[in-house]
């Protein structure tokens, strides 16, 4: 069974890095719906808050955020993976990148959020959570959009749309059918 850890970014934090306005509640709501969808597709799910640590191996640890806020922009998000200096295994790092690219290839076209890959940065590549997980876990972070951008806010409020778009990408990454296959009629 494919084991997936979903972290709702900033969940459980009340001081310090608490996220953008509305971000925590968006991250939690979308994470919870995404977990239901992935369970229905046969994945084994683990839910995490911002303080989670584990030595257990997961096939994917996905951190969900929606605070890719940049002054003067027009919304958008991106997908990033763990920096090779944190993940010393070249094979594991390549797998993190492969999974990230599969999610990216589906999420933005399905959700309607603009993909802005140029926003990948040291903050996401060196995301603190990656140090709290097993070295054999493939790590990806998705900035689903901007919680306060007028366009993105409407889309992020559509929990099913966003969660299904992410789930489709995860299913693609692990070669799990998302849509039911209808057998041909005899």
């Amino acid at each position: 069974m494919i084991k997936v850890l979903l972290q709702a970014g900033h969940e459980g934090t009340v001081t310090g890095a608490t996220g953008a306005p509305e971000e925590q509640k968006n991250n939690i709501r979308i994470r919870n719906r995404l977990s239901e969808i992935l369970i229905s597709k046969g994945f084994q799910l683990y839910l995490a808050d911002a303080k989670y640590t584990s030595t257990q191996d997961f096939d994917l640890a996905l951190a969900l955020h929606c605070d890719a806020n940049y002054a003067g922009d027009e919304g958008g998000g991106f997908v990033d993976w763990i920096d090779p200096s944190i993940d010393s295994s070249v094979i594991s790092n390549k797998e993190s990148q492969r999974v990230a690219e599969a999610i990216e290839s589906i999420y933005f076209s399905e959700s309607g959020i603009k993909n802005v890959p140029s926003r990948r940065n040291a903050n996401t590549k060196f995301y603190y959570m990656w140090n709290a997980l097993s070295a054999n876990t493939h790590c990806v972070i998705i900035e689903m959009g901007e919680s306060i951008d007028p366009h993105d806010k409407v889309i992020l409020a559509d929990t099913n749309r966003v969660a299904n778009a992410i789930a489709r990408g995860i299913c693609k990454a692990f070669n799990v059918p998302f849509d039911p296959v209808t057998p041909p009629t005899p």
Side-chain angles (χ1 to χ4, degrees):
M1 187 171 282
I2 300 166
K3 296 188 330 188
V4 176
L5 172 71
L6 296 178
Q7 183 212 34
H10 307 284
E11 180 183 14
T13 58
V14 291
T15 60
T18 58
E22 302 177 30
E23 184 186 6
Q24 277 191 42
K25 72 176 186 173
N26 286 335
N27 296 341
I28 294 166
R29 177 177 38 78
I30 294 166
R31 187 240 3 235
N32 291 347
R33 179 64 184 128
L34 176 58
S35 70
E36 294 169 352
I37 295 167
L38 291 175
I39 288 168
S40 77
K41 304 300 177 196
F43 291 85
Q44 185 174 3
L45 267 288
Y46 300 81
L47 305 183
D49 65 11
K51 298 172 184 167
Y52 185 83
T53 63
S54 177
T55 56
Q56 183 175 0
D57 293 340
F58 297 98
D59 297 292
L60 171 63
L62 178 64
L64 301 165
H65 286 263
C66 56
D67 67 347
N69 300 311
Y70 293 83
D73 71 0
E74 297 175 3
F78 60 91
V79 182
D80 206 353
W81 56 93
I82 191 170
D83 189 85
S85 67
I86 294 175
D87 184 354
S88 57
S89 163
V90 173
I91 294 169
S92 182
N93 185 263
K94 291 283 186 203
E95 181 64 5
S96 295
Q97 182 178 356
R98 186 193 69 75
V99 171
E101 289 171 348
I103 294 169
E104 180 180 53
S105 74
I106 301 280
Y107 175 71
F108 297 101
S109 61
E110 292 278 327
S111 69
I113 299 282
K114 179 173 59 174
N115 184 12
V116 190
S118 62
R119 293 189 187 152
R120 294 177 180 136
N121 59 51
N123 188 41
T124 55
K125 287 211 173 290
F126 296 97
Y127 186 55
Y128 75 89
M129 185 179 171
W130 306 153
N131 290 317
L133 297 174
S134 157
N136 295 320
T137 294
H138 311 304
C139 301
V140 176
I141 184 171
I142 182 169
E143 292 282 0
M144 300 175 285
E146 294 184 5
S147 64
I148 59 174
D149 175 76
H151 172 266
D152 291 3
K153 183 177 185 161
V154 171
I155 293 172
L156 292 168
D158 187 344
T159 307
N160 281 321
R161 178 180 183 175
V162 173
N164 276 293
I166 297 168
R168 283 182 180 279
I170 293 170
C171 285
K172 177 182 178 181
F174 292 99
N175 202 23
V176 172
F178 185 85
D179 295 311
V181 179
T182 309
T185 350

